[in-house]
Amino acid sequence: MIDGLGRREMLGAGLGLVALAGCARSGSAQGGNSKLGKQRSVAFAIGTPGSDFVLELSLGCADAAEMLGWRFSRVLNAQPTPDAHINAIRQAVTARNDVVVTVDWYQAVIDEAAKAKPQGTSFAIVNSLNNPDTAAKLGLPFVGQSPRESGRMLGERIAKALAAKGVAQGAVLVGNPFPGSLNVEERIAGVGEGLRAVPGLSLLSFADGSAGDAAASVALYKAKIGEAGNVVAHAAAAGEMSAVPLLKALDELGGTAAKALVAGTVSSLKVLDFVKRGRMAFALDENLYNQGFMAVLLAWGMLERGMPSTSLTPASSWIDAANVDAAIASYAKRKEAAAAYGLS
């Protein structure tokens, strides 16, 4: 269907591109040339159902395209399978877009980029780069967090929060909805590294099944918590996907299990609501909107200014009780902007 933490030097480079785009519109004309070059087309292509994750990345792309005077479209294939993802990408290429922005979940994504390059279609990768070596050979720009680094940050903060409560022993449970996926495995490994700040804490990871069946995942969480017996905290490292069945499992277990600290990553408004209601102590927001926005600007820089391919890490930020209301208000603004583009 078409329709304040981080690497500051990288962020500074991205903001420089934003400044250029901000003064872009003078002299631009539909179908013609401007000071920023000719009008181009960019598509965000992904094989997954519509979600807040998709909306945030899409809106970032759409806003950057609007500032550049480019045409923007989105290609969604609602089946969360490798074939659906690749088919969405092929649709975007067949439509002769100048740039395709997508997520590198599978090697086949890079293969499609390699086939499209001689036809004049450039690619930019956002959020997940599971095949960095082959992507680098093609000169594909990437905008997103290092999953290892963000996982380590999450683990360190969990360890610190537990230590403040006097908890120095026990397991931190992390569900994995996509075993074998490099970005998820790296994030979980990073959580384990961060937990080493308190030597008595250990990482306990398992396949939580949340990507396939949320109801079955609840049962898996309950069984794993009961089996482990000493779970003192949970890291919902896959955002809403893992947080929903995890929190339901804790509610059903009740007692001491329900009092365990829960933290995670922000992938949706629902996660922000969990923080607001105290269901989650805190969450790391990787700023998906910025990822989509800056990916389009990097593609523009390569096409119009001959800039080399680069990887860029937008700043991430912590969401907790102190700032969750502001985060929700910001999210509401972006939802309104998305609606103006016809995105949902």
Side-chain angles (χ1 to χ4, degrees), residues 165-317:
K165 293 182 175 183
V167 178
Q169 297 282 337
V172 175
L173 186 65
V174 187
N176 185 345
F178 301 109
S181 179
L182 179 63
N183 63 307
V184 179
E185 298 284 359
E186 282 285 289
R187 185 192 298 275
I188 292 173
V191 172
E193 291 174 0
L195 292 175
R196 293 173 191 166
V198 177
L201 298 176
S202 61
L203 174 73
L204 179 59
S205 179
F206 78 111
D208 68 13
S210 61
D213 187 334
S217 182
V218 173
L220 289 173
Y221 269 106
K222 289 168 68 175
K224 196 67 179 180
I225 293 167
E227 173 191 317
N230 65 334
V231 177
V232 294
H234 300 269
E240 177 185 336
M241 184 176 290
S242 291
V244 170
L246 164 63
L247 290 171
K248 184 169 176 55
L250 293 176
D251 285 345
E252 292 182 4
L253 287 170
T256 57
K259 297 177 182 177
L261 183 146
V262 179
T265 57
V266 177
S267 62
S268 67
L269 182 59
K270 185 168 285 188
V271 173
L272 296 178
D273 184 59
F274 287 151
V275 175
K276 182 174 177 62
R277 291 192 285 130
R279 304 295 307 284
M280 294 176 68
F282 50 84
L284 183 64
D285 188 350
E286 296 181 328
N287 295 313
L288 297 172
Y289 170 88
N290 285 346
Q291 294 181 25
F293 188 89
M294 292 181 179
V296 173
L297 294 186
L298 287 182
W300 167 81
M302 293 176 68
L303 290 170
E304 296 295 346
R305 297 295 185 262
M307 297 296 291
S309 171
T310 189
S311 293
L312 197 150
T313 302
S316 52
S317 52

Side-chain angles (χ1 to χ4, degrees), residues 73-84:
S73 62
R74 186 172 67 171
V75 184
L76 298 184
N77 196 328
Q79 299 300 316
T81 65
D83 284 347

